[in-house]
Amino acid sequence: SQCLLSQALVRGATKDMGKMLGGEEEKDPDAQKKEEERQEALRQQEEERKAKYAKMEAERENIRQGIRDKYGIKKKEEKEAEAAAAMEQASEGSLTRPKKAVPTGCGDEEEEESIVDTVMKFIPAPLMDMFNKK
């Protein structure tokens, strides 16, 4: 019995050695069919995963829209569309390209002073005293 066991181990080992040395592997008659089934299973899993995430994203978008409606927030696409429409409307009668708007903080001194005043409102009283002493 021990002799049969060692012969089986030697046969298995020589068979594996033959494969490693580039020998012929045994051909599985159903290998092609099994590979196709495996590929199909992978495709199906991928489709299920994509459907799951699409459903989750749709639920999230519904929640986002509810929040936007509640607080009166517009989507980025809506804001961009409105800005583009306003630019087109402003330049409708003009033959030249529209002027670029001056960014906030780059223009009027009154506006800059109001920003300083706004910041000063949020400074705690002890710090405010230090500013007033100087």
Side-chain angles (χ1 to χ4, degrees):
S1 106
Q2 194 175 21
C3 185
L4 290 175
L5 181 61
S6 64
Q7 286 178 348
L9 288 174
V10 170
R11 269 192 232 125
T14 56
K15 185 176 166 184
D16 291 339
M17 288 293 290
K19 287 182 186 176
M20 286 192 286
L21 295 173
E24 289 290 320
E25 290 187 28
E26 291 182 22
K27 300 288 183 185
D28 186 5
D30 296 330
Q32 182 69 21
K33 185 177 180 183
K34 286 179 183 177
E35 180 63 22
E36 288 175 4
E37 288 175 358
R38 189 180 74 79
Q39 290 294 328
E40 181 59 33
L42 287 174
R43 276 192 292 270
Q44 187 177 4
Q45 287 175 345
E46 183 68 17
E47 288 172 7
E48 290 171 359
R49 186 188 67 78
K50 285 182 180 180
K52 173 185 167 187
Y53 283 105
K55 179 182 174 187
M56 288 170 51
E57 186 58 31
E59 291 173 357
R60 288 184 186 127
E61 185 57 36
N62 286 337
I63 293 170
R64 288 184 199 116
Q65 190 58 48
I67 292 170
R68 281 189 216 106
D69 293 343
K70 181 177 178 181
Y71 294 105
I73 302 170
K74 294 181 181 178
K75 284 177 108 175
K76 285 184 179 180
E77 296 91 32
E78 292 174 4
K79 287 181 182 178
E80 291 170 359
E82 286 181 3
M87 290 295 277
E88 287 178 17
Q89 211 172 31
S91 65
E92 214 168 77
S94 175
L95 297 175
T96 61
R97 65 181 176 88
K99 293 181 181 178
K100 294 182 181 177
V102 177
T104 57
C106 295
D108 302 332
E109 290 181 21
E110 294 175 14
E111 184 178 321
E112 290 178 14
E113 290 175 358
S114 66
I115 292 172
V116 171
D117 293 337
T118 305
V119 170
M120 293 299 268
K121 290 178 188 175
F122 294 104
I123 296 177
L127 290 176
M128 214 34 187
D129 294 338
M130 287 179 14
F131 283 119
N132 290 336
K133 287 180 184 177
K134 290 184 179 181

